[in-house]
Structure formats: C-alpha cells, structure tokens
Amino acid sequence: MRPSGPTPHVPERGRRRRRIVRALLSIGSAWIAAAGAAPTAAAQETGPPRGEVPVVGLALSGGGVRGFAHIGVIEVLEEAGISAEIVSGTSMGSIVGGLYAIGYMPEQLREIAARVDWPRVFDDAPERRNLPIERKQEEGRVAYAFPIDGLTPRLPSGVVEGQRISQLLTRLTWSAHSVHDFTRLPRSFVAVATDLETGDAVPLVAGYLPEAMRASMAIPGAFAPVEIGGRVLIDGGIARNLPAEDARTLGADRVICSDVSEPLARRDSLESFPQILSQTVAFRMVERTEVQREECDLLIVTRVEGVGIADFGRVNVAIEAGRASARATLDSLLATGASLRGWRTGPRERTAVPDPTPQTIRVEAIEVEGLRGTQSSAVRRILGIAPGERVTPGDLDRAVTRLYDSGRFRYVGYRLEPAGNGAPTGDGRALRLDLDDRSRQWVGFGYRYDGRYEASILATGTLRDLLFAGTTLSVDLRLGEQFRTRADYSKRWGWTVAPIVAVRGELTEMPFDLYVDGDRVASPDVQTGAMTGIVGLGFRHNTFLGLEGKLERADRGAAPAVEDWADGSGTLASVAAVLRVDRKDRATFPRKGWTGLLKSEWGEASGGGGAFRQHVLDIEAVVPVLPRFGILGRLTLGTSEGDSLPSHYLFFSGGSRQYQLYVDRQFPFYGRRVQEVRGRHLQAGTLGVQWEPLTDVFLQLRGNAAALPATWEWDEDAWRGGWGVTAGARTRFGTLALTVAGRDLGDGPRLEIDAGFPF
C-alpha cells in the first residue's frame, strides 16, 4: 500500500518545507513522545524468568530525533552481553528497532544515523537535477502549494507525504523484503501504529516491513497517514508511545524499555499557543506511558537535554545521551548486588536472512503495478534499469527518485522479492514497482520584493493529463508593477531523447526604464501579447534543442527624449532556433552547475516594417573548489541586425538579479541601476567567488564589465565596470539577499534588496 491521499508535484521548497515540518513536529512531540515525569533513569527487576533461559525483549519509544538515543542504549546492552530476541518499537523507535531486528549491528546503526541527510529525507520536494528542463522553471517559485481534487484546492493530509522516508526505509531493509512474518526475522519485531478512525493501538507483526515502520512514525499533520489492510494508520505514539506490552505479547520473559519521551512541561514554560496545545494533548499520553512502564523489568529513561523532536543536527548528541543513561542504569543495578547473568542470552534459531547491507543484487525481472494511464514501457525508460543488470542500493534509490521526480506519479514504491515463486537463490531478485499515476495537480502562491519593482505576487498552478495523457498545463498570474499572465500546454514523449511540443500564450506589461547620461528620463510601459509554438527534443533532464515560432503584438509607450526608442503599436512574427542547458542544482544560490542559452531569432514586422535578426549566447556557472567555496562566472554576448528591430528587443543591463519577463534580453550588471544601460549589442563578463559559512547562508563577491556598443566591433571606450557584494540566505520565507554594489571602488555604493521567491 502507499501513503493515502494525492501528492501534489510542486517545486522544490527545501528549507521552508523542512521548517514547516519542524513546527508541526514540535506540536506532535507531545502527542507522540510525552511520558511520565521520572527525573532520572530507573531500573527494576522482577522475579526469576519463566523458562530456564529468559527471552529478553527490547521496547523502544517514540520521540523524534531523541529516538536516536536508542542506538546508544543498544550499544551498551550489547557490550554487557545482553542481546534482545524480541524488539518492539513506536515511531522513531520502530525505525531503530526494525533495523536492529533485521540484523544491523549498533555500529552500523550509528553510521546510518550520521550519514543520512535526515532533513532531506523528511522533505518530498523533487530534486532539481531530475526535473525535465521544461519544468525546471517551476522550482523554488512558491511559498506553498496545495493539491487539487478536480478543480478544487484542498489541504493535504500532511506537509510531507512520505515518499523520501519510504524510499530510505525500503533501501535499508533490502534483505527483509521477502520476510512477511516479522517474527521470522533474526529478532522478532513489532511496530506499533494508531488507527486514525478508532484511536486504538495497532501492532504490526506481519506485512511489508518498511511500510509498517513508515506507518508507525506518521505524525499527524506533519506526515500523511498510511493505509494498511483497510485501516488508515498514524503515529503509534498517539495510542502507545512505549510498546512494552507488545514485546511481552510476542513472548518476552523480561522486557527492557528505552524511553526517550518528555515529561509534562512546567507552568512557566507554557506561554505560546503551540506549547499549550501540546500540553493539553500530552495528558493522556503521560497516563498511558505510565501504564506501559509497569510492564518493564528494566527501565532506561534518557533525557536528551536541548534536543528537539526535529533537531536533526544533533543526532550524535542523542546517541551519546542514550549511552550515558544505559550505562548509569546498569551500573545502578549492579550496585544493588544484582547480577546480569539472567539477562544474557543467545539468539534462538531463526529463518536465515541475508546480510542487511548487500553491496549489489541482480535484477532478474521488473514488474510494474498500479498504472492507470501510463505505459509500463515509459516507466522502464525513466527507471533506466534492465532485467539482468546488477545494481547497488544507491543505483536503485536514484532510479526510483528519478521516477518520482518526473512528475508523473503521486507515489513510487518498490520491493525486492524472490524471482519466480521460490525462495531467494543467490543474489537474484524480482523488482516490483508499486506506482500511483493519477494526475498530480496543484496550485501555489509566491511573493517577492525588490528595490525597483517593489512587491509582486504570483499565483500559479499545474494540471496534468488535461485533454490528452502525458500533457501538462501550467498557468501563471503575476501581479505587481511587472504584470504577466501566461499559460503553457506541453507534452513530452520519453526520457533519454524525447520529442517535446508546446503551445504558450502570454500577456505582459512592464515599465522600461530609459536612461540618458546616467539619468532616468522616461519609463514608458510596454504591453505585449504573444502566442508561441515550440517543437524540439529534450535530452534527459537538462537539455532542449528546438524551434520556437512566435506571433507577437506590442504596444510601446512614448519617450520623446530618447532617440533609440520608437513608440507605437505593431505586430511581428519570428522564428528562433534555441539550445538551452540547465545543470544547476537549484535556482537560487546554486552550489554547483551551469546554465547555457544559445538563441538565434529571425523576425519581421507587419506592414512592411522590415526584417531583423538577433543572436544571444549566455553561459553562467558555479564551480565548487572546496566544500563551502566556489567560483562564479558568466559570459553574455548578444548582437542585433536590421533597422526594424523593435525597441523592446534592445539589450538592457543593470541591477544585481535576473528579471524573469525578458530573460534572453535583460541581464544583471553590478554597479548600474536596473536597465540603466541598453544597446543593440551586448558584451559582458562576470567573475566572482561564493562562500557558504553556514548552511544556506551565502556571501558572494563579484566583479563585472560590460559594453553595449552601437556596433559589434570592439570599442575599449564603451566598456564599463562594476562590483557587488551580496549577503543572502535561503529560508522558509524564500530568499533574502542584500547587495552592496558600485561602479568602482571610489563610487558611492548602492544597497539593493531582494526577498521572496524567483518569478
């Protein structure tokens, strides 16, 4: 089964989505991780075991990042010779416990905790490198997006639907995909979830292991529920955060409990609405946890001071806190004269399970399930794995990510099972893909502010499979001093080398700032309406080569004081050969990659106005040279021919950012105001450095030089220089950048502000 509810395909929101999840997790922490207020670790020992050799169970509570403390607890228990035969887990305890149950050793669990990019795992936004080039412009433009049912927006069932965390759990449990009875794992295992309809605890002891683990940690509001066996399941901490009785039910004679839940908050800390809401929800949780503690023969309580439920940067702190608590508890027990002899036990005979960390497997067959309108051949092309091929966990994870990021699927799951109907033989497996290809439709909203055009708002939406399967309709409405409404209807066939056709209609209106000798003398409005047809080839996800035919109507305002500006209305028709490449890892403050545009346009004005030609080459790159340090560069060349060149086709340069309405004719120029320089020809170069002192906080230093001469010939007197220093950050509220720029070191600098999302 898959996470319930449709998953909107939305542009990458990276940090801002993670912050939203963190806020919801903070509220959910009391729901999931609240427990009694025992101030220190405690231990108790019941009577002798019921059998000659006791069966030891280990119960691991929920608690978000604090749940990584269980790894430290397991380390200490293993060092003491105590190896549980039964493991029960809730929420994060189900993740740690499930991996421990299938054979991961404590040192491997510690390595996973340190290596995985947990904030990225809890964010389903697509990776920009996997977006087809025709959709890369969607990335990073909205503050939030809502899925659409029919034509009606609705609230999603969770900020995160769970695609990435499901992929991670699937990859880490390769060896156990074919084990459907969790009591047949090397250690018997049960994950505890909560029935959303009844509120009852649901022990999951059979099924598909990564799905059970995913259901156990589906925090309400933060993660979408999971449907299993006709039940809609959410985080098990709601019903039973410390699953001691579940270990007992599986046959444990003695139960060791590792509890990382938090006590009720003190009155002086209950000041905000989320804190008060968390406290009121936590009352019953504390009650239920106290009942479960009565089932524990050895209770290890870990207080992970200063670590929040979503504080992923302090995973190691939680692990060490667990070690300390477990060590103190065992030492306290030994100090009473008790012995650990009765706790030490060897594992019982179990069905053999392969190494939990195989290096490669051979994919014997590929089976595709759940498709409604997509051809399985298209799935196989995007997947890029052929039967008989050997793959690593990373290979398969990247292939599944590529499928999900293609935008065709709401959910992409997979499992590795024995080829045919027999038991696993060698390392050959059948890859079974579980897909939901219902259209992923969404609407989103963005905003931005800059010093020239001030506030702007974007409303945008995407409808898929409208009229024809495999098509995409994207609609934008930009409100502000720069106005645009635009609709793109496109279809792409295939993946590796794919034909692409599209139709675009747009209306724009914006002022053009016209300067003479450094003074702005006019700002005529230019209104354009255009219809464009596009046909070409897409090469994987980063390159487009094709033709664009355009019919445009333009109405240019008057500027009598400017000689090279011609006002009036007119219609033009043009055709352009276009090569676009986009390999940047993200749209704003990229850490690596490059973009390129090579465009040659031939046009003619109506009414015998004459022909014109324009050619543009623009290449921009970020080259990392150290983990947090890179070199920035840009080269832009443009030339125009023909006396009938429309005035709004002139090259404009100025300002510290690229504006989106005329991206192939207007370019940044540090040290000049927006559109301060213009001409029929453009020669420009930029070189700079970028430093990221903190995650998503950037410092940039750039120097640039440009000339916009009347003729293409080299003219040293036409060249002008400039510099700029930018301090910026990517936040949940979009990009915030402050730029100080000047013409030369002796020139008085200007401050430019850029905030929000790029559109």
Side-chain angles (χ1 to χ4, degrees), residues 35-46 57-61 70 73 77 241-244 248 254-261 289-303 322 324-333 343:
T40 60
Q44 63 182 37
E45 193 169 6
T46 61
L58 178 63
L60 307 178
S61 77
H70 300 317
V73 171
L77 293 176
N241 193 51
L242 182 62
R248 189 80 71 186
R254 290 186 171 181
V255 179
I256 302 173
C257 296
S258 177
D259 189 3
V260 298
S261 50
T289 298
E290 285 298 332
V291 171
Q292 290 301 307
R293 286 184 172 185
E294 295 298 320
E295 295 284 340
C296 302
D297 298 294
L298 184 66
L299 175 62
I300 301 172
V301 177
T302 302
R303 292 283 178 255
S325 295
R327 187 71 269 165
T329 300
L330 292 186
D331 289 346
S332 176
L333 181 63
W343 293 90

Side-chain angles (χ1 to χ4, degrees), residues 113-177:
R115 186 181 69 242
V116 171
D117 182 0
W118 293 101
R120 180 70 184 101
V121 166
F122 289 102
D123 180 6
D124 284 345
E127 297 181 14
R128 192 172 192 271
R129 64 187 176 90
N130 288 330
L131 292 176
I133 188 168
E134 65 271 21
R135 290 181 43 241
K136 288 186 187 291
Q137 65 174 2
E138 299 175 5
E139 188 262 339
R141 298 194 309 156
V142 299
Y144 197 69
F146 300 89
I148 300 175
D149 278 339
L151 295 177
T152 304
R154 67 167 183 82
L155 290 176
S157 55
V159 172
V160 175
E161 293 287 348
Q163 173 68 30
R164 304 293 185 212
I165 185 63
S166 294
Q167 279 184 232
L168 174 66
L169 298 177
T170 301
R171 173 163 55 86
L172 293 176
T173 58
W174 266 25
S175 62
H177 285 192

Side-chain angles (χ1 to χ4, degrees), residues 297-431:
D297 298 294
L298 184 66
L299 175 62
I300 301 172
V301 177
T302 302
R303 292 283 178 255
V304 189
E305 299 294 338
V307 177
I309 192 172
D311 197 353
F312 296 105
R314 307 195 69 190
V315 167
N316 195 57
V317 173
I319 295 175
E320 295 305 319
R323 276 193 65 88
S325 295
R327 187 71 269 165
T329 300
L330 292 186
D331 289 346
S332 176
L333 181 63
L334 293 173
T336 66
S339 170
L340 297 179
R341 184 185 304 276
W343 293 90
R344 296 189 178 100
T345 180
R348 295 182 301 174
E349 183 178 349
R350 290 278 192 260
T351 300
V353 174
D355 179 359
T357 57
Q359 298 300 309
T360 65
I361 59 145
R362 186 176 63 257
V363 177
E364 298 283 7
I366 299 175
E367 301 176 11
V368 182
E369 300 174 354
L371 296 180
R372 293 171 173 84
T374 307
Q375 296 294 322
S376 61
S377 57
V379 173
R380 295 170 187 270
R381 282 196 300 269
I382 299 175
L383 186 70
I385 295 174
E389 185 175 342
R390 299 193 70 86
V391 297
T392 67
D395 293 336
L396 186 50
D397 192 60
R398 284 187 291 272
V400 171
T401 296
R402 198 160 53 239
L403 269 175
Y404 179 75
D405 289 350
S406 71
R408 296 188 178 193
F409 308 100
R410 298 189 184 194
Y411 174 77
V412 178
Y414 76 93
R415 64 184 69 193
L416 296 167
E417 295 188 339
N421 298 319
T425 58
D427 59 0
R429 295 292 184 274
L431 171 61

Side-chain angles (χ1 to χ4, degrees), residues 481-551:
E481 194 168 359
Q482 289 183 318
F483 168 84
R484 179 172 70 182
T485 179
R486 171 172 163 172
D488 290 82
Y489 186 74
S490 63
K491 181 174 176 61
R492 178 184 182 121
W493 287 269
W495 179 251
T496 306
V497 179
I500 298 173
V501 297
V503 178
R504 174 184 304 151
E506 61 182 323
L507 297 171
T508 65
E509 180 179 0
M510 67 169 284
F512 276 64
D513 293 337
L514 305 180
Y515 288 79
V516 175
D517 297 329
D519 296 323
R520 185 169 64 183
V521 297
S523 294
D525 279 344
V526 175
Q527 301 175 357
T528 61
M531 288 294 299
T532 305
I534 302 169
V535 59
L537 294 174
F539 298 87
R540 291 191 178 271
H541 52 273
N542 51 42
T543 304
F544 171 79
L545 175 63
L547 297 174
E548 298 180 359
K550 180 174 65 175
L551 183 65

